[in-house]
Amino acid sequence: MNSEDTMKPYVIGLDLGGTNSVFGIVDSRGEIKATTAIKTQGYDNVDDYVTAAVDALQIIIDQVGGIEKIKAMGIGAPNGNFYKGTIEFAPNLSWGHNGIVPLADLFSKKLGIPVALTNDANAAAIGEMIYGVARGMKNFIVITLGTGVGSGIVVNGQLLYGCDGFAGELGHVIMRRENGRSCGCGRSGCLEAYCSATGVARTAREKLNTTQEPSLLRDLKPEEITSLDVSIAAGKGDKLAKDIYEFTGEMLGEACADFAAFSSPEAFIFFGGLTKAGDLLMEPIKRSYNEHVLKIFKGKPKFLISGLEGSSAAVLGASAVGWDI
């Protein structure tokens, strides 16, 4: 450890999600010393968002001894460009979907420390590789199932960035060419439109509309149904809710069968709220993968759920980007 790391023993990690922004102050061993959060979408423009974020951060920065103890900040964000420190046309961010937002620069100016930024799913993949179930792995794919579907792809021990920083948008692989659902990206039939938490809620509304099947979900207002409601109903043995997970898992398994042909990963690691459904989701994924995959990849990868609590993987992964500056 160099003297600067001793003088500045912490970095800030920000997991910027479609709903919440979670901040953690992290030491070099990967221990999160303090956390805070704000709502991502509650602001009209990015300047208001950054101001609110820095106000919330100030409290936990003071807890660890002030900004002079902080070496840098790392951010994991949707449509984040590692090379430029920007968020570009992020469909699920109200203040970030219309253009290019120089977020790393905005935070750097406000805080007076270096700031690096990467795609949110890449941050989760780094978190898994350093602190989680992917420790020791050189080839794996992290698939995040949140407001959208993201992916972080590690090949030969390195995160895949591509020529522009945007490699690994597996949530926008088209799964349905005919009559595909509209996706936030402006195209139709994307994996994200079906297998994100938002997609699961859409599937629930479709099934309730098109069938007469009795379900606990019928007690709720259709427009207010969330993936958590579907998970709770499925846990109580509700057939319609279980069918929704069957449909979602089957499509994810089919997608993973295609992804295996690209990088032959030793594991697919699932991360995010939807994984709380456990085997209800994982069993159909595995079954569908083996049904659709090319023979040479059959039965090879492990299908794992992130062992890192809540948004810890993404916060830790984002902080790792900060240590690397």
Side-chain angles (χ1 to χ4, degrees):
M1 198 185 239
N2 65 33
S3 60
E4 196 198 356
D5 287 348
T6 322
M7 302 283 295
K8 300 187 171 190
Y10 306 117
V11 298
I12 297 166
L14 160 57
D15 169 30
L16 197 162
T19 309
N20 296 310
S21 290
V22 182
F23 302 83
I25 294 181
V26 183
D27 70 12
S28 60
R29 287 191 303 275
E31 273 183 45
I32 299 176
K33 295 294 184 186
T35 61
T36 188
I38 63 170
K39 288 273 175 236
T40 304
Q41 305 282 33
Y43 307 92
D44 293 334
N45 61 56
V46 69
D47 293 317
D48 295 346
Y49 168 77
V50 172
T51 301
V54 170
D55 289 347
L57 266 173
Q58 204 50 61
I59 298 162
I60 61 169
I61 289 170
D62 291 342
Q63 280 172 25
V64 299
I67 196 72
E68 51 282 357
K69 296 278 187 206
I70 311 276
K71 179 176 185 275
M73 177 179 184
I75 302 170
N79 287 47
N81 187 328
F82 174 69
Y83 294 142
K84 295 182 177 171
T86 51
I87 292 179
E88 306 190 10
F89 303 96
N92 299 320
L93 295 181
S94 53
W95 44 261
H97 61 73
N98 278 334
I100 296 173
V101 178
L103 196 68
D105 209 38
L106 293 171
F107 270 109
S108 187
K109 284 196 172 85
K110 279 265 193 197
L111 291 166
I113 55 174
V115 179
L117 177 147
T118 191
N119 182 284
D120 49 358
N122 287 345
I126 296 167
E128 289 299 340
M129 187 158 54
I130 300 174
Y131 307 108
V133 293
R135 263 184 300 207
M137 288 186 193
K138 292 265 193 281
N139 296 279
F140 64 92
I141 296 177
V142 169
I143 295 176
T144 60
L145 305 170
T147 314
V149 172
S151 61
I153 303 170
V154 172
V155 177
N156 300 341
Q158 288 186 315
L159 205 57
L160 207 59
Y161 279 116
C163 69
D164 55 1
F166 287 120
E169 279 295 343
L170 297 179
H172 296 285
V173 167
I174 292 176
M175 299 302 293
R176 293 288 179 267
R177 296 271 165 202
E178 304 291 316
N179 307 318
R181 278 183 195 171
S182 62
C183 179
C185 73
R187 293 145 77 239
S188 298
C190 294
L191 182 65
E192 180 174 293
Y194 297 90
C195 296
S196 58
T198 334
V200 165
R202 277 171 89 172
T203 304
R205 285 191 284 276
E206 271 178 24
K207 280 197 178 292
L208 290 168
N209 262 337
T210 55
T211 71
Q212 296 305 307
E213 198 172 323
S215 170
L216 297 167
L217 296 171
R218 293 195 186 276
D219 300 341
L220 305 167
K221 286 186 182 156
E223 67 280 6
E224 286 173 10
I225 289 173
T226 65
S227 61
L228 182 63
D229 297 321
V230 180
S231 183
I232 291 166
K236 291 178 179 167
D238 187 277
K239 185 179 177 313
L240 186 100
K242 283 173 148 177
D243 288 347
I244 293 165
Y245 277 110
E246 191 67 38
F247 170 81
T248 308
E250 194 165 297
M251 187 180 284
L252 275 168
E254 199 180 315
C256 288
D258 285 344
F259 304 158
F262 160 68
S263 66
S264 188
E266 55 197 291
F268 289 98
I269 299 161
F270 295 87
F271 174 78
L274 273 194
T275 60
K276 288 187 174 65
D279 282 348
L280 283 171
L281 182 66
M282 297 305 280
E283 286 308 315
I285 289 177
K286 291 179 212 168
R287 202 166 53 241
S288 172
Y289 170 85
N290 281 321
E291 204 177 296
H292 292 102
V293 79
L294 192 62
K295 208 173 187 175
I296 49 170
F297 301 119
K298 206 171 185 167
K300 279 188 182 168
K302 295 183 181 121
F303 287 82
L304 305 169
I305 290 176
S306 169
L308 293 166
E309 221 9 77
S311 64
S312 295
V315 168
L316 289 170
S319 74
V321 180
W323 285 116
D324 279 349
I325 295 177

